């Protein structure tokens, strides 16, 4: 499920500033990056199951591997983990309201922190 209207989608920012903001909210990249793309995750284990909040970004200039890139953030999403198959993001999934609220608060905090550093075209 995508989070709509977070203010993060399509924001352009330096990758090191984005990473700092993500880490402040418990989102880490844990090896999910290459030269052009990066994924930040935060795992939630709640009564209803295991979920991942994910924020994807890609380089529009520079190299993520060298921490020298301007990235564009895509729509954040949440998925439910099913062992051993992986994470499902479908609209048919049930996401607890308390978890969605927590994720929205996390995304708002990230947006607030990176907003002043947003690169405007």
């Amino acid at each position: 499920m995508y989070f709509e209207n977070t203010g993060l989608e399509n924001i352009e920012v330096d990758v090191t500033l984005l990473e700092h903001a993500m880490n402040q909210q418990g989102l880490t990249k844990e090896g999910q990056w290459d030269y052009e793309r990066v994924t930040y995750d935060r795992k939630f284990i709640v009564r209803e199951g295991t979920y991942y909040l994910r924020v994807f970004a890609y380089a529009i200039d520079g190299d993520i591997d060298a921490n020298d890139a301007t990235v564009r953030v895509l729509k954040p999403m949440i998925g439910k983990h099913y062992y051993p198959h992986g994470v499902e993001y479908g609209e048919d999934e049930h996401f607890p309201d308390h978890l969605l609220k927590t994720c929205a608060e996390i995304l708002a905090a990230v947006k607030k922190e990176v907003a002043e550093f947003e690169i405007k075209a």
Side-chain angles (χ1 to χ4, degrees):
M1 179 185 111
Y2 285 106
F3 285 91
E4 302 288 342
N5 304 314
T6 63
L8 283 173
E9 54 275 347
N10 296 318
I11 193 171
E12 295 177 5
V13 66
D14 182 272
V15 70
T16 56
L17 295 170
L18 179 63
E19 182 149 343
H20 176 75
M22 293 292 184
N23 290 339
Q24 292 289 94
Q25 297 302 319
L27 289 135
T28 60
K29 64 181 180 184
E30 301 296 332
Q32 295 188 69
W33 53 272
D34 60 21
Y35 302 105
E36 298 174 339
R37 296 172 300 217
V38 61
T39 303
Y40 296 95
D41 283 343
R42 180 161 169 184
K43 182 178 183 179
F44 295 90
I45 300 174
V46 295
R47 180 174 24 108
E48 296 88 349
T50 301
Y51 299 86
Y52 286 90
L53 172 61
R54 292 204 157 142
V55 181
F56 304 97
Y58 66 93
I60 57 172
D61 182 43
D63 183 346
I64 290 174
D65 183 48
N67 283 327
D68 181 30
T70 299
V71 296
R72 179 172 292 137
V73 179
L74 302 175
K75 282 184 188 176
M77 45 186 339
I78 188 167
K80 184 172 183 180
H81 183 262
Y82 291 96
Y83 179 83
H85 303 290
V87 180
E88 294 291 331
Y89 304 99
E91 293 298 324
D92 294 335
E93 295 297 327
H94 169 72
F95 300 102
D97 290 337
H98 66 90
L99 180 60
L100 295 176
K101 182 179 183 231
T102 298
C103 290
E105 291 168 356
I106 290 167
L107 296 170
V110 170
K111 169 61 177 162
K112 182 178 179 184
E113 188 161 338
V114 299
E116 66 183 278
F117 301 107
E118 181 179 0
I119 298 169
K120 310 250 185 196

